[in-house]
Amino acid sequence: MYKSILVPVDGSEGAKKALEVACQLASQGDATLHILHIPEELTHETTLVWGIGAIAIEASRQEPQEPRARQDIGKQIVDRAEKAARAKGVTRVETIIGQGDPARTIVSEAKRRGVEAIVMGSRGLSDLRGLVVGSVSHKVSHVAECTVITVR
């Protein structure tokens, strides 16, 4: 079916479900699965429910997270996602740590890698901001040049 699939992961439950769907699609056609994480500074405290276990990530405008800490957490998230994908039988997996605006970075990476589909959760860790300025999945679905599958 698809030969190349991009799945953005952020440690949220939605990303976990999207990874499961992406793995099902990848295993049907022996596709390459590109797992992308974009570390971003959150404006609210959140808990990662998947990826590296249930841990709280504190975020505030007064005390921004250290970029190195965000990178370390991001590396753990993609490593766990890769391990989960391989456990589901996906043999061709590539992990990517991106930078910048999540929607733009997802679309840019998809285009650069020539993926045929992007599979992503309908809501991620930046839920609150998404309600005000539009969700990342909504933006990606309107701009991407490939198929976009949004998982609820």
Side-chain angles (χ1 to χ4, degrees):
M1 188 169 185
Y2 296 111
K3 294 296 178 197
S4 185
I5 301 168
L6 176 73
V7 60
V9 296
D10 63 1
S12 67
E13 191 63 37
K16 178 182 179 184
K17 290 177 183 176
L19 180 65
E20 290 172 5
V21 170
C23 288
Q24 289 174 355
L25 293 171
S27 62
Q28 288 176 2
D30 194 33
T32 299
L33 185 63
H34 304 274
I35 299 172
L36 170 66
H37 176 74
I38 305 148
E40 60 179 315
E41 189 171 322
L42 300 173
T43 57
H44 61 285
E45 185 174 317
T46 190
T47 302
L48 294 179
V49 294
W50 172 80
I52 57 174
I55 63 165
I57 297 179
E58 294 179 23
S60 72
R61 295 187 189 276
Q62 294 79 23
E63 298 178 36
Q65 294 169 292
E66 291 293 322
R68 184 76 200 140
R70 287 195 306 266
Q71 289 289 333
D72 291 345
I73 290 170
K75 178 77 171 117
Q76 291 177 49
I77 290 171
V78 295
D79 287 350
R80 294 284 174 97
E82 178 182 14
K83 184 177 179 182
R86 290 192 187 283
K88 292 188 180 294
V90 181
T91 56
R92 296 179 7 207
V93 180
E94 178 183 326
T95 61
I96 310 146
I97 304 286
Q99 291 185 42
D101 173 71
R104 286 186 184 144
T105 303
I106 292 166
V107 170
S108 173
E109 286 292 334
K111 188 173 185 174
R112 188 164 79 81
R113 295 169 191 289
V115 302
E116 296 172 283
I118 300 169
V119 180
M120 60 189 304
S122 61
R123 292 278 182 210
L125 293 178
S126 7
D127 253 356
L128 299 174
R129 194 180 91 182
L131 293 174
V132 177
V133 297
S135 71
V136 172
S137 60
H138 180 79
K139 292 175 187 175
V140 169
S141 68
H142 281 82
V143 177
E145 296 175 5
C146 62
T147 299
V148 177
I149 300 167
T150 306
V151 180
R152 290 190 72 95

